[in-house]
Amino acid sequence: MSKVISAHAVSVDGYITGRDPGAGRGLGDGAMLFDWYFDGNTPSQVFDGFKLSEPSARVFDALAGRVGTVVAGRNTYEDSEHFGGGSPHPTARLFVLSHRPAPEISERQTLITTGIEDAIAAAREAAGDKDIGLMGGGVATEALKAGLVDEVILHQVPILLGGGRPFFQALPEHVHLRLVEAVPAPGVTHLHYEVAR
C-alpha cells in the first residue's frame, strides 16, 4: 500500500517559509531554504534544473521517485502561483485542499473541499502503487491529527529564520517518530523519520 509522506525544507527553528511569503514573493525572506537544490554538481534524475550535492541528490531523487501524487494546502498553492496550472512534481498529479472555492484550478489539478481524509483518499487512488506527498504545514498538521502520515522528512537547513510559517501547527497530542536515516550534506541535513504507531 502506498505511504503518505511529509517532506519539507525547514530551518533549524522550524520554519518552511521566511517572513512575508506569498504570490510573487515565494518563500518571502526564506528563499535560502532551497539553495541546496542548486548548490551542487549532481543533476537530479527527477527534477530538471536541480543540481545537488551527491548525498542530497541520492536522498532527494529516491524520495521524489516514490511520489505519485501531491496534496498541497491552499496557502502553498497561492504562494506558488498555482504551480503554473500544473504540479510541484514533474509527474505527480496535484490535489489542492481548501475550504473555499478556487476558480483558477486547471484540468491538471483537483480541488478537494471536504477535508484531509478525502484529499488523501483521492490522491491515493490516483497514485496507484506510488506514495502521496504532502506540501504545506497546515496539510501536514491535519494529516498528522488524522493519523494518516507514515513518514516525516526534514531537509534541515542550518539557519534560524526567526519567523515565517512553521512546519507544524498545534497538534492535540505528541507524535512519536523513529529515525530511519540522517544524511549530512553541504548546506542541509536530511532527517528521515517514520511515524511510530
Side-chain angles (χ1 to χ4, degrees), residues 69 71 95-97 112 114-124 132:
T69 55
V71 177
F95 291 78
V96 179
L97 180 62
I112 305 288
T114 52
I116 190 68
E117 291 90 348
D118 289 343
I120 289 179
R124 189 182 302 280
I132 298 99

Side-chain angles (χ1 to χ4, degrees), residues 5-17 134-145 149 151-156 164-173 175 177 191 193 195:
I5 54 179
S6 178
H8 285 79
V10 61
S11 66
V12 172
D13 53 348
Y15 292 100
I16 58 173
T17 75
L134 304 178
M135 284 191 73
V139 164
T141 301
E142 289 305 307
L144 282 164
K145 286 179 185 177
V149 179
E151 299 177 18
V152 175
I153 295 100
L154 306 176
H155 304 295
Q156 191 178 63
R165 287 201 184 116
F167 190 169
F168 301 106
Q169 298 168 6
L171 291 164
E173 58 189 26
V175 176
L177 305 174
L191 301 168
Y193 297 96
V195 176

Side-chain angles (χ1 to χ4, degrees), residues 8 54 56 63 89-90 94 126 160-161 170 175 193:
H8 285 79
E54 186 282 324
S56 286
L63 178 63
H89 189 286
L94 176 65
L160 300 170
L161 289 178
V175 176
Y193 297 96

